[in-house]
Amino acid sequence: MFCPFCRHPDSRVVDSRTSDDGTSIRRRRQCPNCGRRFSTTETASLAVIKRNGVLEPFSREKIISGVRKACQGRPVTDGDLAVLAQKVEEAVRASGASQIDANEVGLAILPPLRDLDEVAYLRFASVYQAFDSLDDFDEAIRQLRVEHRDRPAQTSGAVAE
Ligand SMILES: [Zn+2]
């Protein structure tokens, strides 16, 4: 990588540090030509293939803005959404693929959103999975009820621990 100051084609790594969430490495570099220092950030590339075939970089912000609408009026905080976006990123990166369908990103949102807030989950799933009748809602709610029966201790909605 070129030195951003003098365009020298080589640089020396003087320090490497992994980010707190473990998804990137920040390197301090020094140019052997002009002696100035600069930083680079290294991340495993992850691109989302949109329905129209266009690639765009995976973005937690996009996940959050996509889910925020479904959470309107629900007891969901910005912090909850940040955690959800992190879980989604971990889930899609776990496959090891460098490109992933937008569809799979949507699927990866459903489980953590269901854990966070069931009403928001139903709203998001209804749009995402294109529910077109009351039967679809019935089926989704029936599945949630079955899980409640299996996990009776858990209350619905987002409850602070
Ligand atoms: Zn330089």
Side-chain angles (χ1 to χ4, degrees), residues 3 5-8 31 33-36:
C3 168
F5 305 105
C6 72
R7 312 294 295 167
H8 188 75
C31 172
N33 185 48
C34 70
R36 295 171 90 167

Coordinates of all heavy atoms in Angstrom, one line a residue, residues 3 5-8 31 33-36, ligand 1:
C3 N 2.3 5.0 0.6 CA 2.3 6.0 1.7 C 1.4 7.1 1.2 O 1.5 7.6 0.1 CB 3.7 6.5 1.9 SG 3.8 8.0 2.9
F5 N 1.4 10.1 2.1 CA 2.0 11.4 2.0 C 3.0 11.5 0.8 O 2.9 12.5 0.1 CB 2.8 11.6 3.4 CG 1.9 11.4 4.6 CD1 2.0 10.3 5.4 CD2 1.0 12.4 4.9 CE1 1.2 10.2 6.5 CE2 0.2 12.3 6.0 CZ 0.3 11.2 6.8
C6 N 3.8 10.5 0.6 CA 4.8 10.7 -0.4 C 4.7 9.6 -1.5 O 5.4 9.6 -2.5 CB 6.2 10.6 0.2 SG 6.7 8.9 0.7
R7 N 3.6 8.8 -1.4 CA 3.4 7.7 -2.4 C 4.4 6.7 -2.5 O 4.5 5.9 -3.5 CB 3.1 8.4 -3.8 CG 2.2 9.5 -3.9 CD 0.8 9.1 -3.5 NE 0.2 8.2 -4.5 CZ -1.0 7.5 -4.3 NH1 -1.6 7.7 -3.1 NH2 -1.5 6.8 -5.2
H8 N 5.3 6.6 -1.5 CA 6.3 5.5 -1.5 C 5.5 4.2 -1.5 O 4.6 4.0 -0.8 CB 7.2 5.7 -0.3 CG 8.4 4.7 -0.3 ND1 9.5 4.9 -1.1 CD2 8.6 3.6 0.4 CE1 10.3 3.9 -0.9 NE2 9.8 3.1 0.0
C31 N 6.3 4.9 7.0 CA 6.9 4.9 5.7 C 8.4 5.0 5.8 O 8.9 5.9 6.5 CB 6.3 6.2 4.9 SG 7.2 6.4 3.4
N33 N 10.4 5.9 3.6 CA 11.0 7.0 2.8 C 10.9 8.3 3.5 O 11.9 9.0 3.7 CB 10.2 7.0 1.5 CG 10.8 8.1 0.5 OD1 12.0 8.1 0.3 ND2 9.9 8.9 0.0
C34 N 9.6 8.7 4.0 CA 9.4 10.0 4.6 C 9.3 9.9 6.1 O 9.3 10.9 6.8 CB 8.2 10.7 4.0 SG 6.6 10.0 4.5
G35 N 9.2 8.7 6.6 CA 9.2 8.5 8.1 C 7.9 8.8 8.7 O 7.7 8.7 10.0
R36 N 6.8 9.2 8.0 CA 5.6 9.5 8.6 C 4.8 8.3 8.8 O 5.0 7.2 8.2 CB 4.8 10.5 7.7 CG 5.5 11.9 7.6 CD 4.9 12.7 6.6 NE 3.8 13.6 7.2 CZ 3.3 14.6 6.5 NH1 3.7 14.9 5.3 NH2 2.4 15.3 7.1
Ligands
ZN1 ZN 6.1 8.4 2.8

